[in-house]
Amino acid sequence: MIRLASRVCATPARGLLALRALSTSTSTATTTAAAQSGGETGVFGSRLFRLGLGFGVGLGLAVTAVGLEDGYTYATVSKLSVPLLHLLEPETSHNIVVTLAKFGLVARDYTAYSPSLRTEVWGRSFKNPIGLAAGFDKNAEAMDAMLGIGFGFVEVGSITPEPQDGNARPRVFRIPEESAVINRIGCNSHGSVVVSERIQKFREDSGSGSSGLLGINIAKNRTSENAAGDYARACKLLADKADYVVINVSSPNTPGLRSLQAGRELAKIVSRTKQALSEAAPGVPLVVKIAPDLGPADKKQIARVVLRHGVDGMIVSNTTVSRPEPVASHPLGGEKGGLSGKPVREASTALIREMYELTGGRVPIVGCGGVSSGLDAYEKIRAGASLVQLYTGLIYQGPVLVPRIKTELAQLLARDGFESVEEAVGADTRVKKGAGFLKFW
């Protein structure tokens, strides 16, 4: 208690700033909810908001003080925070968490993990292969905090060249029974200029002492008719601050975006972005994020473009527009948008295996989709992923999920006799390096 009190008292200004920011950032959301659902629900929503707000700030301060030095306390607090945050509208609770993280009011993971988790991809050293997927920190406001909870790398964005609001609310829907989320947010972005300045400050403040790597995910503006030009513009502003850059051509929530995965369109975007990358930040890896809803011909075209144009990596995969059972029968299953979480896990892992085979294991893959345990991450690695990302799992399990996955993954590697993540990559696929490349010539 003495340690807790001293830590909390040492950061009163930070707590007050967070409280003020939370009040500002969620006032519009509360008003919108009230207008959409009627006065009675609106009042109830306001009461829940005050409850969640007060608890959230207090929780953030307490967890910051305790940290992961007391694993039992951290796990207990995580179990309490998730159901309380779920009393609020999904996007409102998300904004609360991001604001707490922005002001550093979250735990930091000081645990020492097995050396087997360290891995190297694109000539860069990752302290562990578990990363935060794009979508959580769209505007690069909580990078340090999210690296601090134990991720080996964090990906921010998608970031568009010009600011845009995204789609109308409500646009995020939880399906707790399936540990799933449907979202149609649509790349709400502060724009490349503002986000670039924010990341620059983060780089200057963290210096060489940053606890992990940073990926920057870019996308075209909703109304733009020059997709390749948009990606090149965003890349020029942001690439020199990134450890890798991601071309997002697979969000289902921007009209026409997924059509850019077609061979010619993708080749055009990759070429323009690579040119911008060579001018702004030579040597920074370029990665393409693809959808899980691809036909056989689409997959082959993407693999061909990736190999011929020297793309450095693929993220497999984004959210799905499909609705597998039992999500299809759920009352919210008919909501438009991308489905993420456990229902996507198997399809994502199968696509990782297929893209690994098509590219002959020559192109590093970041596995993403339905990761909520160390076993989920391990399956994606054995399918061909060199790195793994998650996001939706945090919504249902809280930040305690990250250290749990790392512990479980290290145990699984040891169980199967792997001394490193790299040894396990593609263990269930076992293609010959370069085999896929020969299919296209």
Side-chain angles (χ1 to χ4, degrees), residues 198-276:
R198 198 171 286 151
I199 298 174
Q200 180 64 38
K201 186 177 186 307
F202 162 73
R203 289 299 199 189
E204 291 170 355
D205 290 346
S206 61
S208 60
S210 177
S211 59
L213 281 75
L214 179 68
I216 298 181
N217 184 305
I218 58 177
K220 67 179 283 292
N221 277 110
R222 182 185 184 91
T223 57
S224 173
E225 296 181 0
N226 182 7
D230 270 22
Y231 287 101
R233 284 176 58 205
C235 184
K236 285 180 181 178
L237 277 169
L238 295 161
D240 63 328
K241 305 162 190 69
D243 289 302
Y244 67 92
V245 172
V246 181
I247 296 173
N248 180 8
V249 287
S250 53
S251 170
N253 302 316
T254 298
L257 190 68
R258 287 194 166 189
S259 65
L260 301 178
Q261 296 175 107
R264 287 185 179 180
E265 291 299 321
L266 182 59
K268 187 189 302 181
I269 291 169
V270 167
S271 295
R272 287 284 300 276
T273 308
K274 280 181 71 70
Q275 181 181 350

Side-chain angles (χ1 to χ4, degrees), residues 22 55 69 92 100 111 118 132 152 167 182 211 231 266 279 287 295 326 356 370 377 383-384 393 400 417:
L22 280 168
F55 179 83
E69 298 168 34
T92 299
L100 287 171
T111 306
R118 293 190 174 276
L132 177 65
N167 299 317
I182 295 173
S211 59
Y231 287 101
L266 182 59
E279 296 170 2
V287 180
Y356 186 79
V400 74

Side-chain angles (χ1 to χ4, degrees), residues 122 155 216-218 231 244-250 260-262 265-267 269-271 273-274 285-291 294 301-303 305-307 309-318 351 355 363-367 389:
W122 306 309
E155 187 174 311
I216 298 181
N217 184 305
I218 58 177
Y231 287 101
Y244 67 92
V245 172
V246 181
I247 296 173
N248 180 8
V249 287
S250 53
L260 301 178
Q261 296 175 107
E265 291 299 321
L266 182 59
I269 291 169
V270 167
S271 295
T273 308
K274 280 181 71 70
L286 183 65
V287 180
V288 172
K289 186 168 185 174
I290 66 175
L294 297 168
Q301 282 188 349
I302 290 171
V305 170
V306 164
L307 290 166
H309 290 268
V311 174
D312 299 293
M314 294 180 288
I315 297 180
V316 184
S317 62
N318 212 317
L351 183 57
M355 297 310 295
V363 181
I365 292 173
V366 182
Q389 289 179 327

Side-chain angles (χ1 to χ4, degrees), residues 106-128:
V106 295
R108 299 189 76 87
D109 185 358
Y110 300 108
T111 306
Y113 293 91
S114 168
S116 65
L117 295 181
R118 293 190 174 276
T119 191
E120 186 171 305
V121 182
W122 306 309
R124 287 153 169 78
S125 179
F126 292 76
K127 64 179 182 179
N128 69 75

Side-chain angles (χ1 to χ4, degrees), residues 362-440:
R362 293 168 57 94
V363 181
I365 292 173
V366 182
C368 185
V371 175
S372 59
S373 70
L375 180 59
D376 295 338
Y378 187 51
E379 287 177 348
K380 282 178 165 44
I381 290 168
R382 291 185 64 106
S386 297
L387 301 167
V388 177
Q389 289 179 327
L390 61 94
Y391 172 13
T392 303
L394 288 176
I395 295 173
Y396 291 103
Q397 297 189 48
V400 74
L401 175 63
V402 182
R404 182 185 302 143
I405 285 178
K406 291 188 291 185
T407 299
E408 292 173 353
L409 178 57
Q411 292 170 347
L412 289 164
L413 289 168
R415 182 197 70 184
D416 293 343
F418 296 116
E419 295 184 358
S420 68
V421 172
E422 293 169 68
E423 288 183 9
V425 173
D428 291 340
T429 307
R430 295 303 184 198
V431 300
K432 292 182 179 180
K433 298 287 184 178
F437 181 72
L438 296 175
K439 295 179 182 180
F440 303 118

